[in-house]
Amino acid sequence: MKSKKREKGLPFFGIPKMIPFVWPLRKQLLLVMLFQLGQSLADVARPVLQRYALNHFVGEGTLSGMIPFIIGYILLITFGALVFYGMIKLGLKTELLIDRRLRDTAFEHLQKLSFDYYNQNSVGYIHARVMSDTGRIGELFSWHMTDSLYFLAYIVFALVVMFSINSGLAALICVLVPVVALFFSLFQGKLFDLHHQVREINSRITGNFNEGITGAKTIKSLAVEERIDDDFRKETLNMKQRSVESARVRGLFAMVTNLASSCALAIVLWKGGVIAAEEVGTFSMFMSYAQGLIEPVRWLVETLALLVQGEVNIQRYTTLVEYTPSVTDTPEVIEKYGDCFNPKKENWEDIRGDIEFRDVSFKYPDGDEYILEHFNLKIPFGTSVAIVGETGAGKSTLANLICRFYEPTAGQVLIDGR
């Protein structure tokens, strides 16, 4: 089940698979998106008010209408602050609720899985699925996807304002946007690959931590501390190299972001000289929008990369919760006796204790060789039987089959003839 090769991608980044988990929280997510829209409107309106102030109060040299302007500006700032507070508070709450739903579902499903799943996957691997992947999925839905709405709205609102005032200068700034988006996408693809490598290495290191601690007695008994230490050092050195490379690319990415912002500002300074002479407020507003548009473009490209990255987290998580246990009960048995979470003990019969292996053959789900072949044994109630054999002969397997930790590959195990 666990493979280092990436599986086939999920449609629409795996988002449809998460709908059952986030649908009960749709009202909270809708409110967060409304707060994001309100925040984008407030951020777009601020340069418009600044334009009015410079053109009217400074350009015309008058103070008429100052009081209403001050009141309006204070209301805008207050509105922006309240919207921002509501967005952060509700966003954090929604993220935690999504995390809890995902983790509750995963934990409950883990109780139903058979032992073969735990044989094939380390505790560190399972822990990463339940904690790390769910955390990233919650962050993706409550922040990154709703943030993208804010950035899209900001771009649209800002372009509408600019085109309504000076379509020529707005068109020049718009030409820069797709070029910047292309550069950002190239950098973001490299960053995503490096980040994915770092996460994979970190997952292995976490698993090694867990196995090193839980298996400390075995490691010391076999005197393999040096080999374990060498393996750990190799993994951490690999993670260090990938992290340093990622930091370098991020530094170059930040440089390109600043360069793009400066280019947008240069366009306004180059073509906006006439505007500056006539309407200093309009010139100031275009400068604000020119610099402000670069950040939303960068974030939208990054959000797209995060969706691709989130697809990996969703795929890992859904692989866990959709994993079918190899030991299952029929609907008739569940109806009468219940399940592990809702047992109907009043219907349980008393167990006498007769045990019988009837023509049992067994091999582990992740193994190729049969541990037992056509094995037969009867152990009547009240008797004691000693099972003796070399390591790997199947002694523990017999106990696992009696406890129904595994199902026989062929044959039957009967308790009191059933």
Side-chain angles (χ1 to χ4, degrees), residues 84-99:
F84 184 77
Y85 172 78
M87 178 187 67
I88 295 297
K89 181 178 180 180
L90 191 57
L92 287 171
K93 181 179 179 180
T94 304
E95 180 184 3
L96 292 175
L97 289 174
I98 292 175
D99 289 351

Side-chain angles (χ1 to χ4, degrees), residues 34-174:
L34 289 176
F35 281 132
Q36 294 279 23
L37 283 174
Q39 185 68 37
S40 65
L41 280 171
D43 290 343
V44 169
R46 196 173 296 113
V48 175
L49 289 181
Q50 292 170 358
R51 169 180 178 259
Y52 174 80
L54 289 171
N55 285 344
H56 182 68
F57 299 127
V58 178
E60 298 179 8
T62 179
L63 294 179
S64 64
M66 176 66 75
I67 299 301
F69 174 82
I70 292 175
I71 295 173
Y73 204 85
I74 291 175
L75 289 175
L76 177 64
I77 293 175
T78 304
F79 172 77
L82 291 175
V83 167
F84 184 77
Y85 172 78
M87 178 187 67
I88 295 297
K89 181 178 180 180
L90 191 57
L92 287 171
K93 181 179 179 180
T94 304
E95 180 184 3
L96 292 175
L97 289 174
I98 292 175
D99 289 351
R100 187 174 71 178
R101 288 184 62 84
L102 293 173
R103 288 166 184 169
D104 284 348
T105 301
F107 186 80
E108 181 176 330
H109 189 66
L110 284 170
Q111 313 310 307
K112 300 176 182 178
L113 292 181
S114 314
F115 271 30
D116 61 288
Y117 179 83
Y118 297 97
N119 280 346
Q120 298 175 67
N121 299 280
S122 67
V123 175
Y125 175 85
I126 298 171
H127 183 270
R129 302 293 77 78
V130 176
M131 298 302 295
S132 179
D133 287 333
T134 55
R136 292 186 175 276
I137 293 170
E139 184 179 343
L140 177 69
F141 276 89
S142 57
W143 293 113
H144 298 304
M145 292 182 65
T146 56
D147 280 348
S148 63
L149 179 64
Y150 163 81
F151 294 122
L152 280 172
Y154 182 89
I155 292 174
V156 171
F157 294 151
L159 290 177
V160 168
V161 173
M162 286 192 295
F163 272 100
S164 65
I165 294 175
N166 190 313
S167 58
L169 188 55
L172 282 174
I173 296 174
C174 284

